[in-house]
Amino acid sequence: MSYETLSFYMLSALAVCAAAVATFSRSIVNAAFGLLFSLAAVAGLYVLLRADFVAVTQVVVYVGGIVVLLLFGVLLTNRRLEDLSAFAHRPRAVAIILGLAVLTVLLSMVLGASWPQAEVAQLEGTTRPIGYLLLQDYLLPFEFSSLTLLIALVGAAYLVRSQERDE
Amino acid sequence: MGLIEQGLLIILLPLAGFFLVGLFGRKLPRQGDWLATGLVGASLALAVKTFVQVTLQHDPFAGARTSGPWLRFAPAEALSIGIMVDNLTASMLVVVGVVSFLVHLYSMGYMHGDPKYVRFYTVLQLFTASMFGLVLSDNLLTLYVSWELMGLSSYLLIGHYFEKPSAAWACLKAFMTTRVGDVLMFVGILILFLHVGSLRFADIFAAVADGRLAGSAQMWAGLLLFGGAMGKSAQFPLHIWLPDAMEGPTPVSALIHAATMVAAGVYLMARTYLLLSAETFLVVAYVGGFTAIFAASIGLVMDDIKKVLAYSTVSQLGYMMLGLGVGGFVVTGYTAGVYHLTTHAFFKAGLFLGAGSIIHAVHTQSLAQMGGLRRKMPVTFITFLIATLALTGLWPLSGFYSKDAIIASAIEFALRHPEHLALPIFAVLAAAMTAFYMFRLVFLAFFGDPRDAHAHSHAHESPLVMTFPLLVLAALSLPPVGGGHGNWFWIGNPVPLRGEVAQRYGVATAEQGQAKVSTEHGQPVLTTEGGVAHGEHPAADDPARRAHTMAIGASVTVLLIGFVLAWLIYIRRVVDPRALACRFAPIHRLLVNKYYIDEIVQAGVIRPVMALCRLVARADLWIVDGLVNLTALVTRAIAWVTGRADSHVVDGVVNGVADSAMTAGKALGRLQTGQVGTYLTGGVVGVVMLAGFVFWVLAR
Amino acid sequence: MMAEIGLTHYLVVAAILFALGVAGVLYRRNAVGMLIGIELILNAANVNLIAFARYADRGVGVPGVNGSAGLEGQVFAIFVIILAACEAAIGLAICINIFNKFGSIDADRADTMRG
């Protein structure tokens, strides 16, 4: 068993277990931390897949940004921490059954198809070619996504602010 | 910046002003008049730069041209769009730019406080942009588009005071009358496209050169284009709209109906000069000559100061047409016609703005209520006098050179072809009348005792923003603009002149006896200086020189005659004008009623059309309405029968459907819990079922 | 098969993450909890994209850079991350709005649209 294989299984196990925590934990704070670890493990998977730039982006944006944002959201909307665990949930059985159904469908597709096995050639680093791609072939989507981010930012600020004015 | 970019910018600046002032004028300080004026000023600066770069080079082949495909119907047939800058264009750019800028400036004073100030400046910008577009077009299509845009802005500006019924009618009349010409012109353009397959001037001239466009097609195309020019440049009998157009604000009259738009017809003839045939030239010359004398005679008796100037404009436009017409046979004529266009634009705009200054001061347009304004309005008086002297052709003012050149060309033409003796007679008589009515105007307005004490006592000199344009325009008619050196104005499109066109025109003029086309570097150059070809030493009995001498003699004589007559009648009062009017009552009545042209049009065109309309309306009433009523009756009968069926059978079904829909809706409404979780669950179940169906049922 | 890690392994992991995300969205009534589920779903999709980029045998890539075929998949993943960031920002703003309006972030209590 090579190091690569070992790392894959360890990272996958971490990602899946942490995701399970994120999904079924009774405490929303624990769920957020579960998501954090799951995302970090996925970033590790990216490294295994030689997507170093995306892995770094994953850590910076998801782990550093989105999860922190979620935690803020949790803390802002649950002012009494003792209430955090006492959350109403929908029936767990329904969620599990439907989740398994989705999983069955997906797995049957994944395992039923034949996938290309050849790896593409190795790269020294992906940052430079991705930079070329983003600023040449995908310049327009790139610019549009920056515009979308800006609009989302302004929209989020507006949504939160206007509500406070009402109170 | 190349000439092409410069030209494009000249058009775009006022066009931007049109949108800016039109959209935001009300919100801008001073309602945006400074913006409009500034943009036209910038265009003027560029126009002057172009003029210096092109026309002042004294190089007949200076200029630039570019074009590209615009609309493509078939591989071979494409409409192009493009810009052309040559000597003619550059001179027109300066004329339009100067007058438009000064009128913008002047209007700040004249239109001050007008409720439709923004509208006025907006349309003025549109007009300026389209006039620039007209002279910069390198093809007939964009020229036609600008032509119609100018017609539109003219319509809007004549109707500026549309609350007045007379103004509303006047703008309608102007639009309809010029439309007659425009339709003719459009047919001419279609003929050209049919025979040439392109509307670029270069292609059209090349087609003339290699004989693809010849014979009756060439003649009719030229004549129909001239039809458009007749409408726009108010040539007899389509002149009737121009005097009524004086209902518009006076600055508009100066810009559009004296200096620029009405000259567009002359410009069109000058631009399409190379495609006109000999017959067309003769028609142009005769229509122009007749219009010159005809309109001048009406101007003799008009009482409204602006009407006098309007008829004077018609008459002078006739002069230009006369010059261009004989220019087909005598090369100096072409130069003279375009030259007169330039000089006339400046002094006639000066006259109109001066008249506007007077009207602003005394609040009347009637000459009968003016008089003695000389001391009250010194600046207006001096500038008006200078412009008058230029118009009547006093040496050394600009009008002397241009008008003299036209008369000389007409005389030269008649010397070669005695059967066309009428043309110089028209020209000289019209010059006499011009001198008379212009001095009459000056004497009645500025000299003598005030005939209306009230108006006179309130009169005052106009503010600087109004007198400054007057001074500039007077200065522009003071020195001989162009110095009498016609070679500023060898105009035309050098490229198509190469080769056969040159030969054709060389042959055509040589046949008349004296070729003025000297060939330099294989290209023809028409150089003229006071009617004498450059570098030649004509004999003393050369018709050109004889014509020139005779023209000077004739024009000075008739100027003196006109002046003395006006002086005797209106200053010395040797004869009472009213007694004169009584003595020649029939003639006087004829002139005052403008030869009854309006009445003739009313009886001969408008009334038959209206009668036809009434006939059609009656046919409508009896036949069509009858049919409609019959149909209605039958429909009603059928409707009654079906109505009974409806209320019993169909309504039952409809009510049943509605009731069941209501019940079902109430039942299904309970499914809408408004809870996200329920919806999500439903969604996931749906996705799983769909995916399972696709991959286990369909794919197997 | 166990020894050699291939495309299928990654796809299976992604499928598990996806199913967990779906279950989370269905299970939580807490709006923030639902957002967490959505993030998991997006991540599963990203794992797929990156894995395909690694094992794709066709693709244009950057001209002149050897082995860059399939990098488009990574670029797509970057766009997904960007949109996930937008979605998280807007989603949290909506959560706070719901909290202010209904006094809780229980998504099922916001049932104004009930039929």
Side-chain angles (χ1 to χ4, degrees), chain A residues 12 15 24 30 34 36 43 49 53 70 73-74 76 81 84 90 96 101 105 107 109 113 126 137 153:
Chain A
S12 303
F24 293 113
N30 287 353
L36 192 149
L49 286 166
F53 180 75
L70 286 174
V74 171
L76 272 175
L81 276 174
L84 285 184
R90 299 198 189 94
I96 290 175
V105 170
L107 283 182
M109 276 184 234
T126 57
D137 296 18
L153 195 73

mmCIF file of all heavy atoms in Angstrom, chain A residues 12 15 24 30 34 36 43 49 53 70 73-74 76 81 84 90 96 101 105 107 109 113 126 137 153:
data_model
loop_
_atom_site.group_PDB
_atom_site.id
_atom_site.type_symbol
_atom_site.label_atom_id
_atom_site.label_comp_id
_atom_site.label_asym_id
_atom_site.label_seq_id
_atom_site.Cartn_x
_atom_site.Cartn_y
_atom_site.Cartn_z
ATOM 1 N N SER A 12 -10.427 10.223 2.843
ATOM 2 C CA SER A 12 -11.823 9.930 2.504
ATOM 3 C C SER A 12 -12.612 9.601 3.758
ATOM 4 O O SER A 12 -13.743 10.104 3.937
ATOM 5 C CB SER A 12 -11.900 8.750 1.540
ATOM 6 O OG SER A 12 -11.155 9.034 0.399
ATOM 7 N N ALA A 15 -13.263 12.770 5.606
ATOM 8 C CA ALA A 15 -14.269 13.591 4.936
ATOM 9 C C ALA A 15 -15.662 13.038 5.178
ATOM 10 O O ALA A 15 -16.592 13.770 5.536
ATOM 11 C CB ALA A 15 -13.970 13.659 3.437
ATOM 12 N N PHE A 24 -25.750 14.987 10.930
ATOM 13 C CA PHE A 24 -26.672 14.445 11.928
ATOM 14 C C PHE A 24 -26.414 14.915 13.348
ATOM 15 O O PHE A 24 -27.145 14.519 14.248
ATOM 16 C CB PHE A 24 -26.635 12.915 11.874
ATOM 17 C CG PHE A 24 -27.204 12.385 10.584
ATOM 18 C CD1 PHE A 24 -26.407 11.748 9.653
ATOM 19 C CD2 PHE A 24 -28.564 12.550 10.310
ATOM 20 C CE1 PHE A 24 -26.935 11.286 8.470
ATOM 21 C CE2 PHE A 24 -29.088 12.073 9.129
ATOM 22 C CZ PHE A 24 -28.272 11.444 8.202
ATOM 23 N N ASN A 30 -21.519 22.005 16.498
ATOM 24 C CA ASN A 30 -20.768 20.809 16.136
ATOM 25 C C ASN A 30 -20.893 20.517 14.656
ATOM 26 O O ASN A 30 -19.932 20.113 13.990
ATOM 27 C CB ASN A 30 -21.283 19.593 16.916
ATOM 28 C CG ASN A 30 -20.847 19.663 18.372
ATOM 29 O OD1 ASN A 30 -20.068 20.546 18.724
ATOM 30 N ND2 ASN A 30 -21.350 18.751 19.183
ATOM 31 N N GLY A 34 -17.982 20.025 12.029
ATOM 32 C CA GLY A 34 -17.922 18.833 11.178
ATOM 33 C C GLY A 34 -17.717 19.217 9.726
ATOM 34 O O GLY A 34 -16.861 18.667 9.014
ATOM 35 N N LEU A 36 -16.339 21.889 8.652
ATOM 36 C CA LEU A 36 -14.984 22.419 8.524
ATOM 37 C C LEU A 36 -13.993 21.288 8.261
ATOM 38 O O LEU A 36 -13.201 21.347 7.307
ATOM 39 C CB LEU A 36 -14.624 23.164 9.804
ATOM 40 C CG LEU A 36 -13.373 24.042 9.820
ATOM 41 C CD1 LEU A 36 -13.585 25.197 10.770
ATOM 42 C CD2 LEU A 36 -12.139 23.268 10.201
ATOM 43 N N ALA A 43 -10.016 19.117 0.726
ATOM 44 C CA ALA A 43 -8.859 19.848 0.190
ATOM 45 C C ALA A 43 -7.662 18.911 0.070
ATOM 46 O O ALA A 43 -6.901 18.970 -0.905
ATOM 47 C CB ALA A 43 -8.532 21.039 1.092
ATOM 48 N N LEU A 49 -5.168 14.772 -5.995
ATOM 49 C CA LEU A 49 -5.545 14.835 -7.416
ATOM 50 C C LEU A 49 -4.698 15.853 -8.177
ATOM 51 O O LEU A 49 -5.036 16.206 -9.298
ATOM 52 C CB LEU A 49 -7.034 15.195 -7.543
ATOM 53 C CG LEU A 49 -7.994 14.055 -7.182
ATOM 54 C CD1 LEU A 49 -9.407 14.589 -7.009
ATOM 55 C CD2 LEU A 49 -7.981 13.007 -8.276
ATOM 56 N N PHE A 53 -3.697 24.317 -6.649
ATOM 57 C CA PHE A 53 -4.288 25.661 -6.563
ATOM 58 C C PHE A 53 -5.698 25.584 -5.993
ATOM 59 O O PHE A 53 -6.075 26.355 -5.106
ATOM 60 C CB PHE A 53 -4.295 26.319 -7.945
ATOM 61 C CG PHE A 53 -4.880 27.687 -7.942
ATOM 62 C CD1 PHE A 53 -4.164 28.760 -7.435
ATOM 63 C CD2 PHE A 53 -6.157 27.916 -8.422
ATOM 64 C CE1 PHE A 53 -4.707 30.014 -7.410
ATOM 65 C CE2 PHE A 53 -6.702 29.186 -8.407
ATOM 66 C CZ PHE A 53 -5.973 30.232 -7.897
ATOM 67 N N LEU A 70 -20.633 30.787 8.501
ATOM 68 C CA LEU A 70 -21.715 29.966 9.031
ATOM 69 C C LEU A 70 -21.733 30.023 10.560
ATOM 70 O O LEU A 70 -22.796 30.145 11.175
ATOM 71 C CB LEU A 70 -21.561 28.514 8.570
ATOM 72 C CG LEU A 70 -21.912 28.246 7.112
ATOM 73 C CD1 LEU A 70 -21.581 26.808 6.737
ATOM 74 C CD2 LEU A 70 -23.385 28.504 6.875
ATOM 75 N N GLY A 73 -23.190 33.073 11.636
ATOM 76 C CA GLY A 73 -24.647 32.992 11.468
ATOM 77 C C GLY A 73 -25.267 32.239 12.629
ATOM 78 O O GLY A 73 -26.277 32.680 13.183
ATOM 79 N N VAL A 74 -24.650 31.142 12.996
ATOM 80 C CA VAL A 74 -25.185 30.347 14.104
ATOM 81 C C VAL A 74 -25.215 31.178 15.374
ATOM 82 O O VAL A 74 -26.236 31.266 16.070
ATOM 83 C CB VAL A 74 -24.315 29.090 14.309
ATOM 84 C CG1 VAL A 74 -24.722 28.388 15.593
ATOM 85 C CG2 VAL A 74 -24.454 28.162 13.126
ATOM 86 N N LEU A 76 -25.084 34.416 15.745
ATOM 87 C CA LEU A 76 -25.935 35.604 15.678
ATOM 88 C C LEU A 76 -27.393 35.239 15.889
ATOM 89 O O LEU A 76 -28.159 36.017 16.455
ATOM 90 C CB LEU A 76 -25.787 36.287 14.316
ATOM 91 C CG LEU A 76 -24.679 37.319 14.180
ATOM 92 C CD1 LEU A 76 -24.592 37.795 12.749
ATOM 93 C CD2 LEU A 76 -24.949 38.496 15.103
ATOM 94 N N LEU A 81 -26.970 30.267 24.167
ATOM 95 C CA LEU A 81 -26.216 29.098 23.735
ATOM 96 C C LEU A 81 -26.820 27.803 24.253
ATOM 97 O O LEU A 81 -26.701 26.758 23.633
ATOM 98 C CB LEU A 81 -24.762 29.211 24.202
ATOM 99 C CG LEU A 81 -23.870 30.040 23.286
ATOM 100 C CD1 LEU A 81 -22.496 30.211 23.902
ATOM 101 C CD2 LEU A 81 -23.760 29.385 21.924
ATOM 102 N N LEU A 84 -28.902 25.779 21.975
ATOM 103 C CA LEU A 84 -28.352 25.331 20.711
ATOM 104 C C LEU A 84 -28.646 23.855 20.447
ATOM 105 O O LEU A 84 -28.933 23.460 19.329
ATOM 106 C CB LEU A 84 -26.838 25.539 20.698
ATOM 107 C CG LEU A 84 -26.414 26.984 20.503
ATOM 108 C CD1 LEU A 84 -24.911 27.081 20.398
ATOM 109 C CD2 LEU A 84 -27.070 27.549 19.262
ATOM 110 N N ARG A 90 -36.473 17.492 11.545
ATOM 111 C CA ARG A 90 -37.494 16.708 10.857
ATOM 112 C C ARG A 90 -37.216 15.245 11.140
ATOM 113 O O ARG A 90 -36.134 14.877 11.639
ATOM 114 C CB ARG A 90 -37.435 16.996 9.360
ATOM 115 C CG ARG A 90 -37.699 18.441 9.028
ATOM 116 C CD ARG A 90 -38.064 18.613 7.588
ATOM 117 N NE ARG A 90 -38.090 20.052 7.293
ATOM 118 C CZ ARG A 90 -37.057 20.719 6.799
ATOM 119 N NH1 ARG A 90 -35.934 20.085 6.548
ATOM 120 N NH2 ARG A 90 -37.156 21.988 6.583
ATOM 121 N N ILE A 96 -32.718 9.734 6.308
ATOM 122 C CA ILE A 96 -31.779 8.639 6.036
ATOM 123 C C ILE A 96 -32.239 7.826 4.840
ATOM 124 O O ILE A 96 -31.456 7.494 3.937
ATOM 125 C CB ILE A 96 -31.642 7.752 7.280
ATOM 126 C CG1 ILE A 96 -30.886 8.539 8.361
ATOM 127 C CG2 ILE A 96 -30.895 6.465 6.954
ATOM 128 C CD1 ILE A 96 -30.786 7.812 9.670
ATOM 129 N N ALA A 101 -31.407 6.477 -0.766
ATOM 130 C CA ALA A 101 -31.942 6.340 -2.127
ATOM 131 C C ALA A 101 -31.074 7.105 -3.116
ATOM 132 O O ALA A 101 -30.696 6.580 -4.173
ATOM 133 C CB ALA A 101 -33.377 6.854 -2.170
ATOM 134 N N VAL A 105 -28.779 5.528 -6.201
ATOM 135 C CA VAL A 105 -28.832 5.969 -7.599
ATOM 136 C C VAL A 105 -27.440 6.349 -8.076
ATOM 137 O O VAL A 105 -26.970 5.918 -9.136
ATOM 138 C CB VAL A 105 -29.805 7.163 -7.741
ATOM 139 C CG1 VAL A 105 -29.682 7.785 -9.111
ATOM 140 C CG2 VAL A 105 -31.218 6.712 -7.487
ATOM 141 N N LEU A 107 -24.422 5.649 -6.827
ATOM 142 C CA LEU A 107 -23.438 4.566 -6.869
ATOM 143 C C LEU A 107 -23.694 3.634 -8.047
ATOM 144 O O LEU A 107 -22.762 3.172 -8.708
ATOM 145 C CB LEU A 107 -23.453 3.785 -5.560
ATOM 146 C CG LEU A 107 -22.752 4.484 -4.390
ATOM 147 C CD1 LEU A 107 -22.776 3.609 -3.144
ATOM 148 C CD2 LEU A 107 -21.315 4.817 -4.756
ATOM 149 N N MET A 109 -24.856 4.446 -10.798
ATOM 150 C CA MET A 109 -24.351 5.114 -11.998
ATOM 151 C C MET A 109 -22.829 5.035 -12.051
ATOM 152 O O MET A 109 -22.239 4.695 -13.082
ATOM 153 C CB MET A 109 -24.765 6.583 -12.000
ATOM 154 C CG MET A 109 -26.149 6.845 -12.527
ATOM 155 S SD MET A 109 -26.366 8.601 -12.535
ATOM 156 C CE MET A 109 -27.835 8.732 -11.596
ATOM 157 N N ALA A 113 -20.815 2.533 -14.907
ATOM 158 C CA ALA A 113 -20.207 3.091 -16.118
ATOM 159 C C ALA A 113 -18.734 2.698 -16.182
ATOM 160 O O ALA A 113 -18.147 2.305 -15.189
ATOM 161 C CB ALA A 113 -20.348 4.614 -16.116
ATOM 162 N N THR A 126 -0.074 23.892 -11.015
ATOM 163 C CA THR A 126 -1.263 24.240 -11.806
ATOM 164 C C THR A 126 -1.548 25.727 -11.783
ATOM 165 O O THR A 126 -2.363 26.216 -12.547
ATOM 166 C CB THR A 126 -2.490 23.512 -11.270
ATOM 167 O OG1 THR A 126 -2.639 23.854 -9.896
ATOM 168 C CG2 THR A 126 -2.323 22.019 -11.410
ATOM 169 N N ASP A 137 -8.950 32.216 -21.858
ATOM 170 C CA ASP A 137 -10.130 31.529 -22.374
ATOM 171 C C ASP A 137 -11.382 31.838 -21.566
ATOM 172 O O ASP A 137 -12.475 31.931 -22.096
ATOM 173 C CB ASP A 137 -9.902 30.004 -22.362
ATOM 174 C CG ASP A 137 -8.783 29.602 -23.287
ATOM 175 O OD1 ASP A 137 -8.002 30.497 -23.636
ATOM 176 O OD2 ASP A 137 -8.705 28.431 -23.669
ATOM 177 N N LEU A 153 -22.523 40.489 -2.408
ATOM 178 C CA LEU A 153 -22.078 41.216 -1.226
ATOM 179 C C LEU A 153 -23.016 42.357 -0.895
ATOM 180 O O LEU A 153 -23.519 42.493 0.230
ATOM 181 C CB LEU A 153 -20.675 41.751 -1.497
ATOM 182 C CG LEU A 153 -19.899 42.233 -0.296
ATOM 183 C CD1 LEU A 153 -19.466 41.040 0.510
ATOM 184 C CD2 LEU A 153 -18.707 43.029 -0.765
#
